[in-house]
Protein backbone atom coordinates (compact mmCIF):
# COMPACT_ATOMS: atom_id res chain seq x y z
CA UNK A 1 0.00 0.00 0.00
CA UNK A 2 1.44 3.40 -1.00
CA UNK A 3 1.83 6.24 1.47
CA UNK A 4 -0.04 9.49 0.98
CA UNK A 5 1.40 12.84 2.18
CA UNK A 6 1.11 13.08 5.94
CA UNK A 7 0.40 9.36 6.33
CA UNK A 8 3.63 8.70 8.22
CA UNK A 9 2.77 11.43 10.72
CA UNK A 10 -0.71 10.01 11.15
CA UNK A 11 0.76 6.54 11.69
CA UNK A 12 2.97 7.90 14.44
CA UNK A 13 -0.04 9.62 16.01
CA UNK A 14 -1.95 6.33 16.07
CA UNK A 15 1.06 4.59 17.59
CA UNK A 16 0.95 7.01 20.51
CA UNK A 17 -2.75 6.46 21.30
CA UNK A 18 -3.57 4.82 24.64
CA UNK A 19 -3.40 1.06 24.40
CA UNK A 20 -6.88 0.85 25.89
CA UNK A 21 -8.29 2.26 22.65
CA UNK A 22 -7.00 -0.70 20.65
CA UNK A 23 -8.81 -4.02 21.19
CA UNK A 24 -6.71 -6.93 22.39
CA UNK A 25 -7.75 -8.91 19.31
CA UNK A 26 -6.11 -6.25 17.09
CA UNK A 27 -9.00 -6.72 14.69
CA UNK A 28 -10.28 -3.15 14.88
CA UNK A 29 -9.33 0.22 16.32
CA UNK A 30 -12.31 1.67 18.18
CA UNK A 31 -12.72 5.29 19.21
CA UNK A 32 -15.46 6.49 21.51
CA UNK A 33 -16.18 8.15 24.83
CA UNK A 34 -17.08 6.12 27.90
CA UNK A 35 -19.30 6.82 30.87
CA UNK A 36 -16.61 8.87 32.58
CA UNK A 37 -15.78 11.24 29.69
CA UNK A 38 -18.84 11.49 27.44
CA UNK A 39 -19.89 15.11 27.06
CA UNK A 40 -21.94 17.16 24.61
CA UNK A 41 -21.47 20.93 24.24
CA UNK A 42 -23.89 23.40 22.67
CA UNK A 43 -22.73 26.53 20.82
CA UNK A 44 -25.76 28.68 20.04
CA UNK A 45 -26.65 31.91 18.28
CA UNK A 46 -29.35 33.19 15.92
CA UNK A 47 -27.02 32.33 13.05
CA UNK A 48 -26.15 28.72 13.87
CA UNK A 49 -26.70 25.96 16.43
CA UNK A 50 -23.92 23.43 16.90
CA UNK A 51 -23.96 20.41 19.23
CA UNK A 52 -20.45 18.99 19.63
CA UNK A 53 -19.26 15.67 21.08
CA UNK A 54 -15.57 14.93 21.58
CA UNK A 55 -14.54 11.44 20.44
CA UNK A 56 -11.29 10.65 22.27
CA UNK A 57 -8.45 9.68 19.94
CA UNK A 58 -10.44 10.54 16.81
CA UNK A 59 -11.86 14.05 16.81
CA UNK A 60 -15.46 15.11 17.23
CA UNK A 61 -19.03 14.43 16.16
CA UNK A 62 -21.16 17.48 15.37
CA UNK A 63 -24.85 18.16 14.81
CA UNK A 64 -25.06 21.47 12.96
CA UNK A 65 -28.03 23.61 11.94
CA UNK A 66 -27.31 26.85 10.14
CA UNK A 67 -29.97 29.55 9.73
CA UNK A 68 -31.93 29.00 6.51
CA UNK A 69 -30.66 25.44 6.10
CA UNK A 70 -31.47 21.97 7.42
CA UNK A 71 -29.93 19.82 10.12
CA UNK A 72 -26.65 18.11 9.23
CA UNK A 73 -24.21 15.83 11.03
CA UNK A 74 -20.52 15.23 10.48
CA UNK A 75 -17.49 13.47 11.92
CA UNK A 76 -14.36 15.61 12.01
CA UNK A 77 -11.04 13.81 12.38
CA UNK A 78 -7.88 15.31 13.82
CA UNK A 79 -5.69 12.99 11.76
CA UNK A 80 -7.79 11.41 8.94
CA UNK A 81 -7.66 7.88 10.33
CA UNK A 82 -10.08 6.30 7.84
CA UNK A 83 -9.28 5.55 4.22
CA UNK A 84 -11.56 7.34 1.71
CA UNK A 85 -14.32 5.17 0.30
CA UNK A 86 -17.58 3.60 1.43
CA UNK A 87 -18.03 2.94 5.12
CA UNK A 88 -20.91 1.47 7.10
CA UNK A 89 -23.24 3.25 9.52
CA UNK A 90 -24.83 1.18 12.26
CA UNK A 91 -26.82 2.12 15.35
CA UNK A 92 -25.79 -0.36 18.04
CA UNK A 93 -26.35 -0.86 21.74
CA UNK A 94 -23.60 0.13 24.19
CA UNK A 95 -21.74 -2.63 26.02
CA UNK A 96 -23.96 -2.30 29.10
CA UNK A 97 -27.07 -3.22 27.05
CA UNK A 98 -26.28 -6.76 25.87
CA UNK A 99 -28.75 -8.59 23.68
CA UNK A 100 -29.99 -5.53 21.76
CA UNK A 101 -29.50 -6.13 18.04
CA UNK A 102 -27.66 -3.47 16.01
CA UNK A 103 -29.57 -1.63 13.29
CA UNK A 104 -27.69 -1.12 9.99
CA UNK A 105 -28.38 2.26 8.39
CA UNK A 106 -26.54 1.71 5.13
CA UNK A 107 -23.30 3.09 3.78
CA UNK A 108 -21.68 6.50 4.11
CA UNK A 109 -19.03 8.22 2.05
CA UNK A 110 -15.69 8.71 3.82
CA UNK A 111 -13.58 11.52 2.35
CA UNK A 112 -9.93 12.44 2.76
CA UNK A 113 -10.86 15.86 4.14
CA UNK A 114 -10.71 16.69 7.83
CA UNK A 115 -14.50 16.40 7.83
CA UNK A 116 -14.39 12.73 6.90
CA UNK A 117 -18.08 11.84 7.13
CA UNK A 118 -21.02 14.15 6.39
CA UNK A 119 -24.64 13.02 6.66
CA UNK A 120 -27.68 14.57 5.05
CA UNK A 121 -30.73 15.73 6.99
CA UNK A 122 -32.55 12.39 6.96
CA UNK A 123 -29.52 10.44 8.16
CA UNK A 124 -28.74 13.11 10.76
CA UNK A 125 -32.22 12.76 12.27
CA UNK A 126 -31.86 8.96 12.32
CA UNK A 127 -28.58 9.31 14.21
CA UNK A 128 -30.16 11.78 16.67
CA UNK A 129 -33.12 9.47 17.35
CA UNK A 130 -30.74 6.56 17.81
CA UNK A 131 -28.91 8.53 20.49
CA UNK A 132 -32.20 9.48 22.15
CA UNK A 133 -33.09 5.76 22.22
CA UNK A 134 -29.89 5.03 24.16
CA UNK A 135 -27.97 3.59 21.20
CA UNK A 136 -24.49 4.37 19.83
CA UNK A 137 -24.25 5.31 16.14
CA UNK A 138 -21.03 3.80 14.75
CA UNK A 139 -19.18 4.42 11.50
CA UNK A 140 -16.76 1.71 10.37
CA UNK A 141 -14.19 2.00 7.60
CA UNK A 142 -10.73 0.51 7.04
CA UNK A 143 -7.75 2.57 8.13
CA UNK A 144 -5.14 4.33 6.03
CA UNK A 145 -2.39 2.38 7.71
CA UNK A 146 -2.90 -1.36 7.72
CA UNK A 147 -6.41 -2.03 6.41
CA UNK A 148 -7.82 -2.84 9.86
CA UNK A 149 -11.33 -1.54 10.53
CA UNK A 150 -11.60 1.80 12.28
CA UNK A 151 -14.75 2.14 14.38
CA UNK A 152 -15.91 5.61 15.44
CA UNK A 153 -18.65 5.47 18.05
CA UNK A 154 -20.88 8.38 19.10
CA UNK A 155 -21.91 8.17 22.75
CA UNK A 156 -25.49 8.71 23.88
CA UNK A 157 -24.45 9.58 27.45
CA UNK A 158 -25.47 13.14 28.42
CA UNK A 159 -26.99 13.65 24.97
CA UNK A 160 -30.71 14.01 25.68
CA UNK A 161 -30.56 17.14 27.84
CA UNK A 162 -28.26 19.04 25.49
CA UNK A 163 -30.32 17.97 22.49
CA UNK A 164 -33.39 19.61 24.05
CA UNK A 165 -31.43 22.86 24.39
CA UNK A 166 -30.24 22.40 20.82
CA UNK A 167 -33.83 22.14 19.59
CA UNK A 168 -34.76 25.34 21.42
CA UNK A 169 -31.81 27.03 19.74
CA UNK A 170 -32.93 25.94 16.27
CA UNK A 171 -36.41 27.38 16.87
CA UNK A 172 -34.82 30.82 17.31
CA UNK A 173 -32.63 30.79 14.20
CA UNK A 174 -32.93 33.55 11.63
CA UNK A 175 -34.90 32.61 8.50
CA UNK A 176 -31.80 32.99 6.28
CA UNK A 177 -28.03 33.03 6.49
CA UNK A 178 -25.58 35.50 4.98
CA UNK A 179 -24.72 33.37 1.95
CA UNK A 180 -28.38 33.13 1.01
CA UNK A 181 -29.06 36.87 0.98
CA UNK A 182 -25.64 38.45 0.44
CA UNK A 183 -26.59 38.89 -3.22
CA UNK A 184 -30.31 38.99 -3.85
CA UNK A 185 -32.56 39.87 -6.76
CA UNK A 186 -36.02 41.41 -6.94
CA UNK A 187 -37.56 40.80 -10.39
CA UNK A 188 -40.07 43.12 -12.04
CA UNK A 189 -42.66 42.78 -14.79
CA UNK A 190 -42.20 44.87 -17.92
CA UNK A 191 -42.59 48.56 -17.08
CA UNK A 192 -43.47 47.73 -13.46
CA UNK A 193 -42.14 48.88 -10.09
CA UNK A 194 -44.54 46.77 -7.99
CA UNK A 195 -43.28 44.39 -5.30
CA UNK A 196 -44.87 40.96 -5.03
CA UNK A 197 -45.55 39.09 -1.77
CA UNK A 198 -42.46 36.95 -2.47
CA UNK A 199 -40.37 40.10 -2.93
CA UNK A 200 -41.56 41.51 0.37
CA UNK A 201 -40.76 38.22 2.11
CA UNK A 202 -37.25 38.34 0.69
CA UNK A 203 -36.80 41.93 1.87
CA UNK A 204 -38.19 41.06 5.31
CA UNK A 205 -35.58 38.29 5.57
CA UNK A 206 -32.84 40.73 4.61
CA UNK A 207 -34.03 43.18 7.27
CA UNK A 208 -34.08 40.45 9.92
CA UNK A 209 -30.55 39.40 9.04
CA UNK A 210 -29.09 42.91 8.88
CA UNK A 211 -30.62 43.80 12.24
CA UNK A 212 -28.93 40.74 13.78
CA UNK A 213 -25.50 41.00 12.14
CA UNK A 214 -23.57 44.06 13.27
CA UNK A 215 -20.79 43.34 10.73
CA UNK A 216 -23.05 44.38 7.83
CA UNK A 217 -22.10 48.00 7.21
CA UNK A 218 -23.63 48.83 3.83
CA UNK A 219 -26.44 47.72 1.52
CA UNK A 220 -26.09 48.40 -2.20
CA UNK A 221 -29.40 48.64 -4.08
CA UNK A 222 -28.93 48.65 -7.87
CA UNK A 223 -31.86 49.17 -10.23
CA UNK A 224 -31.83 47.77 -13.78
CA UNK A 225 -34.08 47.57 -16.82
CA UNK A 226 -34.23 45.72 -20.10
CA UNK A 227 -33.20 47.44 -23.33
CA UNK A 228 -36.73 47.86 -24.69
CA UNK A 229 -37.60 51.52 -25.14
CA UNK A 230 -35.46 54.63 -24.83
CA UNK A 231 -32.38 54.78 -22.65
CA UNK A 232 -33.69 57.84 -20.84
CA UNK A 233 -36.93 56.08 -19.91
CA UNK A 234 -35.05 52.92 -18.91
CA UNK A 235 -32.72 54.89 -16.68
CA UNK A 236 -35.69 56.50 -14.91
CA UNK A 237 -37.47 53.15 -14.58
CA UNK A 238 -34.39 51.50 -13.07
CA UNK A 239 -34.14 54.35 -10.56
CA UNK A 240 -37.78 53.88 -9.56
CA UNK A 241 -37.18 50.14 -9.09
CA UNK A 242 -34.16 50.78 -6.89
CA UNK A 243 -36.05 53.36 -4.84
CA UNK A 244 -39.07 51.13 -4.22
CA UNK A 245 -36.75 48.48 -2.76
CA UNK A 246 -34.72 51.00 -0.75
CA UNK A 247 -37.89 52.64 0.60
CA UNK A 248 -39.21 49.27 1.76
CA UNK A 249 -35.96 48.56 3.61
CA UNK A 250 -36.03 51.99 5.27
CA UNK A 251 -39.68 51.64 6.26
CA UNK A 252 -38.81 48.27 7.81
CA UNK A 253 -36.21 49.82 10.08
CA UNK A 254 -32.94 49.84 8.13
CA UNK A 255 -30.90 53.00 8.69
CA UNK A 256 -31.01 55.01 5.48
CA UNK A 257 -27.32 55.87 5.95
CA UNK A 258 -26.50 52.20 5.33
CA UNK A 259 -28.20 52.16 1.93
CA UNK A 260 -26.57 53.19 -1.34
CA UNK A 261 -29.05 53.47 -4.23
CA UNK A 262 -27.83 53.33 -7.83
CA UNK A 263 -29.67 53.25 -11.16
CA UNK A 264 -28.13 51.73 -14.30
CA UNK A 265 -30.89 51.49 -16.90
CA UNK A 266 -30.00 48.78 -19.41
CA UNK A 267 -26.25 49.17 -18.90
CA UNK A 268 -25.54 45.82 -17.23
CA UNK A 269 -27.65 43.01 -18.78
CA UNK A 270 -27.21 39.58 -17.25
CA UNK A 271 -28.66 37.59 -20.16
CA UNK A 272 -30.32 37.91 -23.58
CA UNK A 273 -33.75 37.47 -22.01
CA UNK A 274 -35.37 40.84 -21.25
CA UNK A 275 -37.19 39.42 -18.20
CA UNK A 276 -33.86 38.59 -16.53
CA UNK A 277 -32.71 42.20 -16.83
CA UNK A 278 -35.78 43.82 -15.26
CA UNK A 279 -34.56 43.68 -11.68
CA UNK A 280 -33.13 45.34 -8.62
CA UNK A 281 -30.02 43.73 -7.18
CA UNK A 282 -29.28 43.93 -3.48
CA UNK A 283 -25.82 43.27 -2.06
CA UNK A 284 -24.81 43.28 1.59
CA UNK A 285 -21.32 44.46 2.40
CA UNK A 286 -19.63 43.34 5.58
CA UNK A 287 -16.73 45.12 7.24
CA UNK A 288 -13.57 44.09 5.40
CA UNK A 289 -15.19 43.23 2.05
CA UNK A 290 -13.00 44.05 -0.94
CA UNK A 291 -13.86 47.41 -2.55
CA UNK A 292 -13.98 45.96 -6.05
CA UNK A 293 -17.07 43.96 -5.10
CA UNK A 294 -18.96 47.25 -4.85
CA UNK A 295 -19.15 47.55 -8.63
CA UNK A 296 -22.68 47.46 -9.96
CA UNK A 297 -21.71 44.90 -12.59
CA UNK A 298 -19.94 42.72 -10.07
CA UNK A 299 -22.92 40.42 -9.69
CA UNK A 300 -21.98 38.37 -12.72
CA UNK A 301 -23.52 35.20 -14.09
CA UNK A 302 -27.18 34.36 -13.81
CA UNK A 303 -29.45 36.52 -11.66
CA UNK A 304 -30.16 35.21 -8.18
CA UNK A 305 -33.55 35.25 -6.54
Amino acid sequence: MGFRPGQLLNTLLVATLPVALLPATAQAASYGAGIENSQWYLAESVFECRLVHEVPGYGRAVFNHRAGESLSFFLESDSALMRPGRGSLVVEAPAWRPGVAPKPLGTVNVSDDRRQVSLDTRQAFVVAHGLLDGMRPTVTRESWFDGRPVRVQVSNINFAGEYQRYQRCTSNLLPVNFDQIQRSRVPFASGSTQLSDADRQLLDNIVAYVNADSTVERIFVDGHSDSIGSRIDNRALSEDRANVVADYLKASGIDENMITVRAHGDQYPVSNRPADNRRTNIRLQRAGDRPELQQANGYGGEPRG
Side-chain angles (χ1 to χ4, degrees), residues 203-204 206-208 210-212 219 245-259:
L203 297 178
D204 288 343
I206 291 174
V207 170
V210 171
N211 285 335
I219 303 174
V245 169
D247 290 344
Y248 189 95
L249 295 175
K250 295 173 189 176
S252 300
I254 299 296
D255 184 349
E256 64 179 343
N257 293 320
M258 293 181 63
I259 302 173

Short mmCIF file of all heavy atoms in Angstrom, two decimals, residues 203-204 206-208 210-212 219 245-259:
data_model
loop_
_atom_site.label_atom_id
_atom_site.label_comp_id
_atom_site.label_asym_id
_atom_site.label_seq_id
_atom_site.Cartn_x
_atom_site.Cartn_y
_atom_site.Cartn_z
N LEU A 203 -37.29 40.71 1.23
CA LEU A 203 -36.80 41.93 1.87
C LEU A 203 -36.95 41.86 3.39
O LEU A 203 -36.07 42.34 4.12
CB LEU A 203 -37.54 43.14 1.30
CG LEU A 203 -37.32 43.40 -0.19
CD1 LEU A 203 -38.14 44.60 -0.66
CD2 LEU A 203 -35.85 43.63 -0.50
N ASP A 204 -38.02 41.24 3.87
CA ASP A 204 -38.19 41.06 5.31
C ASP A 204 -37.06 40.19 5.87
O ASP A 204 -36.55 40.44 6.98
CB ASP A 204 -39.54 40.42 5.63
CG ASP A 204 -40.71 41.38 5.41
OD1 ASP A 204 -40.47 42.60 5.35
OD2 ASP A 204 -41.84 40.89 5.31
N ILE A 206 -34.05 39.91 4.63
CA ILE A 206 -32.84 40.73 4.61
C ILE A 206 -32.81 41.66 5.82
O ILE A 206 -31.79 41.81 6.49
CB ILE A 206 -32.75 41.53 3.30
CG1 ILE A 206 -32.49 40.57 2.13
CG2 ILE A 206 -31.65 42.59 3.37
CD1 ILE A 206 -32.52 41.24 0.76
N VAL A 207 -33.94 42.27 6.11
CA VAL A 207 -34.03 43.18 7.27
C VAL A 207 -33.72 42.42 8.56
O VAL A 207 -32.95 42.89 9.41
CB VAL A 207 -35.43 43.82 7.34
CG1 VAL A 207 -35.60 44.57 8.66
CG2 VAL A 207 -35.64 44.78 6.17
N ALA A 208 -34.31 41.24 8.71
CA ALA A 208 -34.08 40.45 9.92
C ALA A 208 -32.60 40.11 10.07
O ALA A 208 -32.04 40.18 11.18
CB ALA A 208 -34.92 39.17 9.89
N VAL A 210 -29.91 41.71 8.67
CA VAL A 210 -29.09 42.91 8.88
C VAL A 210 -29.22 43.41 10.31
O VAL A 210 -28.24 43.84 10.94
CB VAL A 210 -29.48 44.01 7.88
CG1 VAL A 210 -28.80 45.34 8.21
CG2 VAL A 210 -29.12 43.59 6.45
N ASN A 211 -30.42 43.35 10.87
CA ASN A 211 -30.62 43.80 12.24
C ASN A 211 -29.88 42.93 13.25
O ASN A 211 -29.57 43.38 14.36
CB ASN A 211 -32.10 43.84 12.58
CG ASN A 211 -32.82 45.02 11.94
OD1 ASN A 211 -32.20 46.04 11.65
ND2 ASN A 211 -34.11 44.89 11.73
N ALA A 212 -29.60 41.66 12.86
CA ALA A 212 -28.93 40.74 13.78
C ALA A 212 -27.42 40.73 13.61
O ALA A 212 -26.69 40.36 14.54
CB ALA A 212 -29.47 39.32 13.58
N ILE A 219 -25.55 48.47 2.42
CA ILE A 219 -26.44 47.72 1.52
C ILE A 219 -26.48 48.48 0.19
O ILE A 219 -26.87 49.65 0.15
CB ILE A 219 -27.86 47.61 2.10
CG1 ILE A 219 -27.84 46.95 3.47
CG2 ILE A 219 -28.76 46.83 1.14
CD1 ILE A 219 -29.19 46.94 4.16
N VAL A 245 -37.39 49.46 -3.64
CA VAL A 245 -36.75 48.48 -2.76
C VAL A 245 -36.11 49.19 -1.57
O VAL A 245 -36.28 48.78 -0.41
CB VAL A 245 -35.70 47.66 -3.53
CG1 VAL A 245 -34.83 46.84 -2.58
CG2 VAL A 245 -36.39 46.74 -4.54
N ALA A 246 -35.37 50.26 -1.83
CA ALA A 246 -34.72 51.00 -0.75
C ALA A 246 -35.75 51.56 0.23
O ALA A 246 -35.54 51.52 1.46
CB ALA A 246 -33.86 52.12 -1.32
N ASP A 247 -36.85 52.09 -0.28
CA ASP A 247 -37.89 52.64 0.60
C ASP A 247 -38.50 51.57 1.49
O ASP A 247 -38.83 51.83 2.66
CB ASP A 247 -38.99 53.32 -0.24
CG ASP A 247 -38.51 54.61 -0.89
OD1 ASP A 247 -37.45 55.14 -0.48
OD2 ASP A 247 -39.18 55.08 -1.84
N TYR A 248 -38.67 50.36 0.95
CA TYR A 248 -39.21 49.27 1.76
C TYR A 248 -38.23 48.93 2.89
O TYR A 248 -38.66 48.71 4.04
CB TYR A 248 -39.45 48.04 0.89
CG TYR A 248 -40.21 46.94 1.61
CD1 TYR A 248 -41.59 46.83 1.49
CD2 TYR A 248 -39.54 46.01 2.42
CE1 TYR A 248 -42.29 45.83 2.16
CE2 TYR A 248 -40.23 45.03 3.09
CZ TYR A 248 -41.61 44.93 2.96
OH TYR A 248 -42.29 43.95 3.63
N LEU A 249 -36.95 48.87 2.58
CA LEU A 249 -35.96 48.56 3.61
C LEU A 249 -35.95 49.64 4.70
O LEU A 249 -35.90 49.33 5.89
CB LEU A 249 -34.57 48.45 2.98
CG LEU A 249 -34.36 47.29 1.99
CD1 LEU A 249 -32.98 47.38 1.35
CD2 LEU A 249 -34.55 45.94 2.67
N LYS A 250 -36.02 50.90 4.29
CA LYS A 250 -36.03 51.99 5.27
C LYS A 250 -37.28 51.94 6.13
O LYS A 250 -37.21 52.11 7.36
CB LYS A 250 -35.95 53.33 4.55
CG LYS A 250 -34.66 53.58 3.79
CD LYS A 250 -34.75 54.86 2.96
CE LYS A 250 -33.57 55.01 2.03
NZ LYS A 250 -33.71 56.23 1.16
N ALA A 251 -38.42 51.69 5.51
CA ALA A 251 -39.68 51.64 6.26
C ALA A 251 -39.69 50.46 7.23
O ALA A 251 -40.43 50.47 8.22
CB ALA A 251 -40.86 51.54 5.29
N SER A 252 -38.87 49.45 6.94
CA SER A 252 -38.81 48.27 7.81
C SER A 252 -37.77 48.41 8.91
O SER A 252 -37.54 47.47 9.69
CB SER A 252 -38.50 47.02 6.97
OG SER A 252 -39.51 46.81 6.00
N GLY A 253 -37.11 49.57 8.96
CA GLY A 253 -36.21 49.82 10.08
C GLY A 253 -34.75 49.89 9.76
O GLY A 253 -33.92 50.07 10.67
N ILE A 254 -34.35 49.74 8.49
CA ILE A 254 -32.94 49.84 8.13
C ILE A 254 -32.53 51.31 8.08
O ILE A 254 -33.23 52.14 7.47
CB ILE A 254 -32.66 49.17 6.77
CG1 ILE A 254 -33.01 47.68 6.84
CG2 ILE A 254 -31.21 49.36 6.36
CD1 ILE A 254 -32.18 46.89 7.81
N ASP A 255 -31.42 51.63 8.69
CA ASP A 255 -30.90 53.00 8.69
C ASP A 255 -30.61 53.43 7.26
O ASP A 255 -29.88 52.76 6.53
CB ASP A 255 -29.62 53.04 9.53
CG ASP A 255 -29.05 54.45 9.68
OD1 ASP A 255 -29.51 55.37 8.98
OD2 ASP A 255 -28.11 54.61 10.48
N GLU A 256 -31.19 54.56 6.85
CA GLU A 256 -31.01 55.01 5.48
C GLU A 256 -29.55 55.32 5.16
O GLU A 256 -29.13 55.28 4.00
CB GLU A 256 -31.87 56.24 5.19
CG GLU A 256 -31.53 57.47 5.99
CD GLU A 256 -32.41 58.65 5.62
OE1 GLU A 256 -33.04 58.59 4.55
OE2 GLU A 256 -32.47 59.61 6.40
N ASN A 257 -28.74 55.59 6.18
CA ASN A 257 -27.32 55.87 5.95
C ASN A 257 -26.55 54.62 5.54
O ASN A 257 -25.41 54.72 5.05
CB ASN A 257 -26.69 56.48 7.20
CG ASN A 257 -27.25 57.87 7.51
OD1 ASN A 257 -27.47 58.66 6.60
ND2 ASN A 257 -27.50 58.14 8.79
N MET A 258 -27.15 53.45 5.75
CA MET A 258 -26.50 52.20 5.33
C MET A 258 -26.74 51.90 3.86
O MET A 258 -26.05 51.06 3.28
CB MET A 258 -27.02 51.01 6.17
CG MET A 258 -26.65 51.02 7.62
SD MET A 258 -27.31 49.54 8.46
CE MET A 258 -26.43 48.23 7.59
N ILE A 259 -27.72 52.54 3.26
CA ILE A 259 -28.20 52.16 1.93
C ILE A 259 -27.61 53.07 0.85
O ILE A 259 -27.70 54.30 0.95
CB ILE A 259 -29.73 52.19 1.88
CG1 ILE A 259 -30.31 51.25 2.94
CG2 ILE A 259 -30.24 51.82 0.49
CD1 ILE A 259 -31.83 51.33 3.07
#
